Amino acid sequence: MSRIKNLPTGWQRKRLEKVAIIQTGIAKNQNSNEECIELPYLRVANVQDGFLDLSEIKTIKVHKDKATRYRLENGDVLLTEGGDFDKLGRGAVWEGQIQNCVHQNHVFAVRPNKSELLPSFLSAQTGSSYGKRFFLSCSKQSTNLASINTSQLRAFPVLLPPFPEQKAIADLLSTWDKAIEKTEWLIQMKDKRFRRLLQELISNPKNTEKNDVWNEFKLGQICKVTKGKQLNVAHMKNDGAYYALNGGIAPSGRTDGWNTEAETITISEGGNSCGYVNYNTERFWSGGHCYSLLSLKKNVDKHYLYFYLKMNEPKLMKLRVGSGLPNIQKNDVVKFVIALPSLAEQQQIAQSLFSARREIDLLKQLTEKYKTQKRGLMHKMLTGTWRVKPDVVKTFEETKS
């Protein structure tokens, strides 16, 4: 169990039930012939780690006399009952975004005593490594899944600094949240720009004025198409350094004949990622589910080819055959038609797209850096290992709102 032995001066440790009301949600499919009203409700999918995803809100029928019992209030801390191990303690603060909204029984609504416990502080603490360790230690577990019940949630040991210090800590963490949100917004904008650029630079030559310089070729005419070997399961168990790649398997550090060349373009043959195009910058085994495009002719730029196939993934998906988990046949890959401008123009297009993609990658790295730093800061601040300076705390002493 996660336990901090020595609390800072002025801090207390209290069971969550002493400083908050824990409310369970409404069960789905409660068939009732009594008078009901239809209300929006939150599901587990809506409650993410530190934020709410309200892009899809469903409705549920609730008996009119019980609507108030399940209705969310501004400041409720929403926590998921369970799921994957990393979902324990996951939650966010409800800020009244949707009127008359209720919640499913797999989502707890914790209503803090706002004179003693700040909702944003509680949400941060349950979602920190301290909170996650506690929930994991007392959860009911099965393969890759874990869940907590109301009794375990009530017993959560809240580390409770004075209210002004809670405000100061929550305000500090919100600064990191804003930086993360801003960077993620930039990623979305850059990604939209990249997609527009991809469409503009690699368009169908039949719909442009470039008919005289863009030529069409089948993949089999410009490169060698090979299919990866099937996985030796016994060998995999002994080696241990494998991870999934587009439906195939990539053994780390291997340099035998199962690996493709470095910087190889692969097309997933089957499974849910059928038609997915990947550009390998390391030596990967192509797996039993990937086609590798090797030995490109001299008038073909491999980077341009990658971006062209990436833009045309929907067309590759249409090549799927079979039932269950469909796949793509090698004959169809070989016959897949691509449009090529001159080599110089291919290289120019690829460079522009790589530059745009690089901006996105750098922003993603920055986001991960912010998140890692925030996680470390949360653990230190929410357990009292690091303290907010007294003069900063003093600025939050005037109000408890």
Side-chain angles (χ1 to χ4, degrees):
M1 180 181 293
S2 178
R3 186 168 181 83
I4 305 299
K5 293 182 179 180
N6 300 314
L7 291 178
T9 302
W11 284 47
Q12 302 178 64
R13 180 186 289 109
K14 292 187 178 182
R15 288 170 62 96
L16 181 58
E17 64 181 346
K18 298 295 183 181
V19 290
I21 298 171
I22 290 87
Q23 177 174 290
T24 55
I26 186 171
K28 284 186 64 178
N29 302 321
Q30 285 188 348
N31 297 321
S32 174
N33 295 322
E34 299 175 334
E35 189 174 354
C36 292
I37 56 177
E38 193 164 351
L39 297 174
Y41 81 108
L42 294 189
R43 301 162 293 127
V44 172
N46 300 123
V47 183
Q48 299 297 314
D49 195 359
F51 69 97
L52 298 175
D53 181 358
L54 305 180
S55 58
E56 182 183 9
I57 299 296
K58 296 187 177 182
T59 60
I60 192 169
K61 290 184 177 180
V62 185
H63 188 274
K64 66 176 184 177
D65 294 336
K66 296 182 179 179
T68 302
R69 154 71 175 80
Y70 297 111
R71 187 174 289 122
L72 294 171
E73 293 184 6
N74 192 30
D76 285 349
V77 178
L78 303 173
L79 298 171
T80 56
E81 179 186 61
D84 299 335
F85 287 165
D86 63 345
K87 290 182 174 61
L88 286 178
R90 185 180 79 176
V93 179
W94 178 252
E95 297 176 343
Q97 295 95 324
I98 302 172
Q99 189 175 8
N100 293 323
C101 190
V102 297
H103 60 107
Q104 188 185 20
N105 60 323
H106 297 301
V107 175
F108 296 109
V110 181
R111 195 160 294 159
N113 178 348
K114 294 182 182 179
S115 66
E116 192 172 3
L117 177 59
L118 188 69
S120 56
F121 179 87
L122 173 63
S123 180
Q125 194 169 91
T126 57
S128 69
S129 57
Y130 167 79
K132 290 180 183 294
R133 281 201 300 269
F134 169 81
F135 292 127
L136 192 59
S137 69
C138 63
S139 64
K140 179 181 178 181
Q141 300 179 17
S142 59
T143 306
N144 298 326
L145 298 174
S147 63
I148 56 173
N149 57 36
T150 308
S151 298
Q152 292 159 343
L153 183 56
R154 286 173 178 163
F156 176 70
V158 183
L159 304 182
L160 208 61
F163 201 87
E165 190 169 354
Q166 293 181 43
K167 290 274 291 182
I169 293 172
D171 184 72
L172 178 62
L173 294 177
S174 71
T175 302
W176 289 89
D177 289 333
K178 290 175 184 176
I180 293 170
E181 289 173 8
K182 182 178 180 180
T183 309
E184 290 179 336
W185 178 83
L186 285 172
I187 290 172
Q188 292 178 8
M189 296 301 103
K190 294 286 186 180
D191 189 62
K192 288 181 180 179
R193 175 181 173 272
F194 171 77
R195 293 178 186 278
R196 286 196 302 269
L197 194 63
L198 187 65
Q199 185 66 40
E200 291 170 3
L201 296 179
I202 306 180
S203 56
N204 187 338
K206 293 180 181 179
N207 297 326
T208 69
E209 298 177 356
K210 300 178 180 179
N211 283 332
D212 55 334
V213 294
W214 286 55
N215 298 301
E216 292 186 341
F217 296 90
K218 295 177 182 179
L219 275 178
Q221 293 178 295
I222 63 170
C223 67
K224 179 181 178 182
V225 179
T226 64
K227 182 177 179 180
K229 296 180 181 179
Q230 292 295 325
L231 173 64
N232 184 323
V233 177
H235 179 80
M236 181 186 72
K237 290 180 179 179
N238 293 328
D239 203 356
Y242 293 85
Y243 59 95
L245 174 70
N246 301 340
I249 302 292
S252 175
R254 295 188 63 86
T255 56
D256 59 24
W258 286 357
N259 276 313
T260 63
E261 296 292 333
E263 297 187 335
T264 295
I265 299 168
T266 60
I267 300 174
S268 176
E269 175 215 5
N272 294 328
S273 59
C274 184
Y276 184 88
V277 180
N278 186 76
Y279 188 86
N280 298 332
T281 55
E282 300 178 18
R283 292 178 63 84
F284 284 136
W285 173 54
S286 59
H289 297 282
C290 293
Y291 293 110
S292 298
L293 310 184
L294 308 173
S295 306
L296 271 63
K297 291 189 175 180
K298 293 182 179 180
N299 64 334
V300 182
D301 182 80
K302 57 190 174 186
H303 307 302
Y304 168 84
L305 178 58
Y306 164 72
F307 284 120
Y308 186 93
L309 292 172
K310 196 69 179 171
M311 191 191 77
N312 285 281
E313 277 182 354
K315 291 183 180 179
L316 288 167
M317 295 289 283
K318 292 180 180 179
L319 300 177
R320 298 186 300 178
V321 296
S323 59
L325 291 178
N327 58 15
I328 296 175
Q329 300 299 314
K330 181 178 178 181
N331 287 341
D332 293 322
V333 175
V334 171
K335 294 176 182 177
F336 190 79
V337 176
I338 68 164
L340 293 178
S342 66
L343 180 60
E345 188 170 354
Q346 291 178 47
Q347 293 170 339
Q348 184 178 4
I349 289 171
Q351 183 58 47
S352 297
L353 291 170
F354 260 121
S355 297
R357 190 75 246 176
R358 178 61 175 164
E359 291 179 14
I360 296 172
D361 292 339
L362 289 173
L363 286 171
K364 287 181 177 180
Q365 292 174 20
L366 182 60
T367 302
E368 288 306 310
K369 181 180 179 180
Y370 284 157
K371 289 180 178 179
T372 300
Q373 292 174 340
K374 184 195 170 187
R375 285 193 293 268
L377 183 65
M378 285 172 66
H379 180 73
K380 298 290 187 181
M381 301 299 296
L382 295 168
T383 58
T385 304
W386 289 353
R387 304 290 298 275
V388 181
K389 293 181 178 180
D391 57 333
V392 176
V393 173
K394 191 173 182 179
T395 63
F396 292 93
E397 289 180 351
E398 296 181 357
T399 177
K400 289 190 175 184
S401 60

